Amino acid sequence: MHIPQCTTNELEVLRFADALEKVSEDGSYDRETWLYVPDFYSEYRYILGTKGKNPLICIGINPSTAEPGNLDNTLKSVERIALGNGFDSFIMFNVYAQRATRPDDMEAECNSTLHGENMKAFEYVLRLSEGRPVVWAAWGTIIEKRKYLADCLLDMIRLGEAYEAKWVTAGAKSKKGGHPHHPLYLRKDSGLDDFDVKTYCDTLK
């Protein structure tokens, strides 16, 4: 369980570029296999995933406790579905970077600095695919927890357009709101379906 100890405005947020370059010497995980930014446990996380040429980019709302080699059940499901659909790796990304196991514990106001750095991380992730990046919308109904999340998602959509990102979902959408299914309770052989994320976003406003 990760309960935020403070708002991220009370922290000195590490810029994504600096976090990407920083390499800890503790040998806690295999850097040839994992992409983990920042590469230490903190109150926020930009990226967690495995390295490959054809990653499935999964988008949740916010990170919890997962780390390289210590995936939670949600991340285990993400990895299974990525490999089952022909991808050689997966990347877990989030609409907002603050760690909070319970979404109700997310900060009430968006930290514009943290969000800006998270968008730089998203652009980096989009560039990792050798072909057209595939982005899996997988945040469930949690996006309703904070009003600022819809605006954060819109920024992600705009970035994705520049890289011709293909948005997909897995499983049934929610009856109320048409929210994309969360990965946790999906069958391991779940396929991916095209997702009109722009039309979906119109319903969030």
Side-chain angles (χ1 to χ4, degrees), residues 1-8 10-11 41-44 62-66 97-107 146:
M1 178 76 70
H2 185 97
I3 301 173
Q5 300 301 300
C6 60
T7 67
T8 58
E10 299 172 72
L11 304 172
Y41 195 92
S42 69
E43 288 288 328
Y44 55 92
N62 68 300
S64 181
T65 60
Q98 183 192 28
R99 283 190 196 261
T101 301
R102 299 179 304 207
D104 286 335
D105 291 331
M106 291 176 65
E107 51 201 5
R146 296 289 184 267

Side-chain angles (χ1 to χ4, degrees), residues 163-181:
Y163 293 88
E164 299 183 337
K166 177 182 179 181
W167 288 78
V168 299
T169 56
K173 302 180 189 67
S174 67
K175 291 182 180 179
K176 182 181 178 182
H179 300 300
H181 203 294

